[in-house]
Amino acid sequence: MIPLIDKRRPSSKCRRHGVVWLWLTATCWLPTGVAAAEAPFAVRVVDAATGRGVPLVELRTTGEHRFYTDSAGYAAIDAPELMERDVFFHVSSHGYEFPKDGFGFRGRKLRVTSGGEATLQIQRLNIAERLYRVTGAGIYADSIRLGREVPLAQPLLTGGVVGQDSVQAGVLGDRILWFWGDTNRLSYPLGQFRTSAASSRLPAAGGLDPAVGVELEYLVDPTGFSRPVFDLEGPGVVWLDGLVVVPDAAGRSRVVGHYSRRESLARQLAHGLAEFDPERGMFEVRLELPETEWRHVQGQVSHAPAEGGDGYLYIATPFASLRVPAKYESLLDPEQYEAFTPLAPGKKISDGPPSVERDSQGQVVSAWKRGARPLSTEEEHKLIEQGLLPREAAHWQTSDAATGERVLLHGGSVRWNAFRNKWVLIAVQTFGRPSFLGEVWYAEADRPEGPWRKCVRIVTHDKYSFYNPTHHDFFDQEGGRLIYFEGTYTHTFSGNAHPTPRYDYNQIMYRLDLWDERLAPARGE
């Protein structure tokens, strides 16, 4: 037993040699029953149905130690006071559920030993399967500490990035171009706010299987940190949306997007269209737009080819209410944009009943029209409430297929799916429950503009945000049966005061199997 007060005095030799005494006091006081550095205890949490490791699972002790599984489902338990003891871990994760014990606790008692290992099975409630974290630091930190193999060449810190907001992506040649908004760094609380960029190889060109991960190669500054790809005069952050790769008149692929230079979320300072130069790794402004101009690519963009023509680019925010011919030159001409609306060209909803177009039979006519403004979901709902638009003629009034409750969708993507032979929508709900901006829904329609009726929840979060989910159709597998989407996982807008270490403000990838029978209600089955 080590006494609280040691009355032993150093020898005369130690008194004569103070250095030796300092060394003795630094070593002799180490408790004999504790190793200076013990191997961590490995806990792996796996999906009970698939056996795959589940990322973002919290393991919480009765003493409020909190550990989180990495992208392989591993957590390295390294607190020295837990070693060689029985420890109860509460097990929880968004959209997953651990079985209750006899007292109603969802967790398990484990004997924590140096170098030991335990595997826990967790039930997936989400229809979509969480796969891995795409961005940020320590994606496989626990696996590395435990000596496990990982799929990424840079599994700990790529491009110096610890956080990134809202993805835009497009395919150019055999590579995927990736762009994000605000980007956080390790070295200072303020990061980089003028759009970041990286690339990766397509799976068919030597890239990773999307079920495994994404090997990102960032554009970086001399310090190795993700650098900005906009160099615009004037203050403010620069955000990118509406990214699309589109051919010009000569058949050359051009990478174009909408930029917004902003003072804040509420105030825009300037905006327009810009083109990415792959050689320079920078965007160059091609068209500056007036503050009130809305005819431009935005949100997420999908290409619908047409027989004998180039087809159209459908612009989803999250519903495809705007389109433009799929040509570079057309993107830069606001006059070529068309809105899908029942309103007459040039009219607004505030103009009253005469602005709603009807045919000779008195039926409301919704169509693609140049010079017309697109309706928002709320504006369409207002027309219904005013009796100006029959509910059966509405296109963007989605409801929960299980309960019939209205689901107000906020941001997402609309893509063509060959497996379903339908257009599929993945979008996040606003004013959702249990998370304000973290409930993700799936829907189907025959046309990109809809009508979109019933939807099925595929991802839920407990008081946490997961906004701007985006379906990456270039990753579709098995003829479109398996689709992949990612979104921004963050405590922002959630009311949650406890950001998840490493995961917060980063992109997380999910996979959805469209064969899953739980999606049938979205098809009206």
Side-chain angles (χ1 to χ4, degrees), residues 240-296:
L240 176 76
D241 68 339
L243 185 83
V244 63
V245 180
V246 64
D248 61 17
R252 184 175 59 154
S253 294
R254 314 286 282 265
V255 183
V256 183
H258 171 252
Y259 73 89
S260 176
R261 185 166 61 84
R262 311 186 72 87
E263 179 182 87
S264 65
L265 187 63
R267 187 184 177 202
Q268 180 172 266
L269 301 174
H271 76 130
L273 298 181
E275 181 178 351
F276 185 69
D277 181 347
E279 297 299 321
R280 293 183 58 236
M282 294 293 291
F283 275 97
E284 299 174 356
V285 174
R286 293 288 180 255
L287 179 66
E288 295 184 16
L289 293 170
E291 172 60 27
T292 57
E293 182 59 75
W294 48 266
R295 293 171 297 179
H296 54 76

Side-chain angles (χ1 to χ4, degrees), residues 103-125:
F103 289 96
F105 296 112
R106 297 188 183 277
R108 180 75 55 81
K109 180 177 70 174
L110 301 174
R111 183 68 177 180
V112 176
T113 59
S114 177
E117 182 173 355
T119 299
L120 302 176
Q121 293 188 344
I122 195 168
Q123 302 289 332
R124 175 158 50 93
L125 305 179

Side-chain angles (χ1 to χ4, degrees), residues 173-404:
D174 64 356
R175 299 192 73 85
I176 306 166
L177 303 181
W178 304 89
F179 302 93
W180 301 269
D182 302 346
T183 299
N184 292 341
R185 69 178 87 213
L186 275 176
S187 60
Y188 197 70
L190 295 179
Q192 192 266 96
F193 303 101
R194 292 207 158 190
T195 305
S196 295
S199 70
S200 66
R201 291 191 178 276
L202 282 167
L208 292 176
D209 183 330
V212 174
V214 180
E215 193 78 72
L216 296 172
E217 299 175 30
Y218 280 90
L219 297 180
V220 298
D221 63 20
T223 71
F225 178 59
S226 176
R227 67 166 174 81
V229 290
F230 277 97
D231 183 19
L232 301 181
E233 293 185 3
V237 304
V238 180
W239 293 343
L240 176 76
D241 68 339
L243 185 83
V244 63
V245 180
V246 64
D248 61 17
R252 184 175 59 154
S253 294
R254 314 286 282 265
V255 183
V256 183
H258 171 252
Y259 73 89
S260 176
R261 185 166 61 84
R262 311 186 72 87
E263 179 182 87
S264 65
L265 187 63
R267 187 184 177 202
Q268 180 172 266
L269 301 174
H271 76 130
L273 298 181
E275 181 178 351
F276 185 69
D277 181 347
E279 297 299 321
R280 293 183 58 236
M282 294 293 291
F283 275 97
E284 299 174 356
V285 174
R286 293 288 180 255
L287 179 66
E288 295 184 16
L289 293 170
E291 172 60 27
T292 57
E293 182 59 75
W294 48 266
R295 293 171 297 179
H296 54 76
V297 287
Q298 54 196 281
Q300 294 289 335
V301 182
S302 293
H303 183 201
E307 292 185 12
D310 298 309
Y312 284 90
L313 299 172
Y314 288 88
I315 301 162
T317 58
F319 299 107
S321 59
L322 196 64
R323 74 178 186 181
V324 65
K327 276 289 188 183
Y328 172 76
E329 294 77 11
S330 299
L331 290 184
L332 303 180
D333 182 4
E335 297 299 327
Q336 295 196 45
Y337 286 75
E338 300 176 350
F340 188 81
T341 177
L343 303 185
K347 299 293 183 179
K348 301 178 182 178
I349 189 172
S350 58
D351 294 335
S355 65
V356 177
E357 292 196 322
R358 300 176 182 272
D359 62 18
S360 59
Q361 305 300 315
Q363 300 297 311
V364 172
V365 177
S366 292
W368 291 102
K369 305 167 187 177
R370 288 194 181 184
R373 294 184 65 90
L375 284 178
S376 69
T377 305
E378 284 299 280
E379 287 174 333
E380 188 183 60
H381 186 66
K382 185 176 180 180
L383 286 177
I384 295 172
E385 290 184 324
Q386 293 176 342
L388 302 177
L389 181 69
R391 183 169 295 276
E392 59 272 17
H395 277 68
W396 306 312
Q397 301 305 306
T398 47
S399 62
D400 184 340
T403 67

Side-chain angles (χ1 to χ4, degrees), residues 300-506:
Q300 294 289 335
V301 182
S302 293
H303 183 201
E307 292 185 12
D310 298 309
Y312 284 90
L313 299 172
Y314 288 88
I315 301 162
T317 58
F319 299 107
S321 59
L322 196 64
R323 74 178 186 181
V324 65
K327 276 289 188 183
Y328 172 76
E329 294 77 11
S330 299
L331 290 184
L332 303 180
D333 182 4
E335 297 299 327
Q336 295 196 45
Y337 286 75
E338 300 176 350
F340 188 81
T341 177
L343 303 185
K347 299 293 183 179
K348 301 178 182 178
I349 189 172
S350 58
D351 294 335
S355 65
V356 177
E357 292 196 322
R358 300 176 182 272
D359 62 18
S360 59
Q361 305 300 315
Q363 300 297 311
V364 172
V365 177
S366 292
W368 291 102
K369 305 167 187 177
R370 288 194 181 184
R373 294 184 65 90
L375 284 178
S376 69
T377 305
E378 284 299 280
E379 287 174 333
E380 188 183 60
H381 186 66
K382 185 176 180 180
L383 286 177
I384 295 172
E385 290 184 324
Q386 293 176 342
L388 302 177
L389 181 69
R391 183 169 295 276
E392 59 272 17
H395 277 68
W396 306 312
Q397 301 305 306
T398 47
S399 62
D400 184 340
T403 67
E405 293 183 4
R406 186 181 180 213
V407 177
L408 184 60
L409 297 177
H410 177 265
S413 60
V414 172
R415 311 286 193 216
W416 171 252
N417 183 261
F419 178 76
R420 287 294 306 141
N421 197 30
K422 300 275 188 181
W423 288 85
V424 299
L425 177 147
I426 291 177
V428 68
Q429 180 185 10
T430 187
F431 301 107
R433 297 187 305 271
S435 62
F436 170 75
L437 201 60
E439 308 305 297
V440 183
W441 298 77
Y442 170 89
E444 297 182 0
D446 292 325
R447 300 184 59 82
E449 67 269 21
W452 301 95
R453 300 280 192 240
K454 296 181 180 180
C455 55
V456 172
R457 181 170 10 211
I458 56 174
V459 173
T460 185
H461 289 86
D462 183 12
K463 204 175 181 182
Y464 225 93
S465 297
F466 188 79
Y467 57 65
N468 294 336
T470 303
H471 169 191
H472 298 313
D473 53 352
F474 46 76
F475 280 157
D476 286 0
Q477 294 177 322
E478 298 185 20
R481 172 187 165 183
L482 299 177
I483 68 175
Y484 293 78
F485 65 93
E486 67 174 282
T488 304
Y489 175 82
T490 175
H491 73 293
T492 307
F493 309 120
S494 71
N496 193 319
H498 302 285
T500 308
R502 294 192 174 121
Y503 282 91
D504 191 71
Y505 207 53
N506 272 302

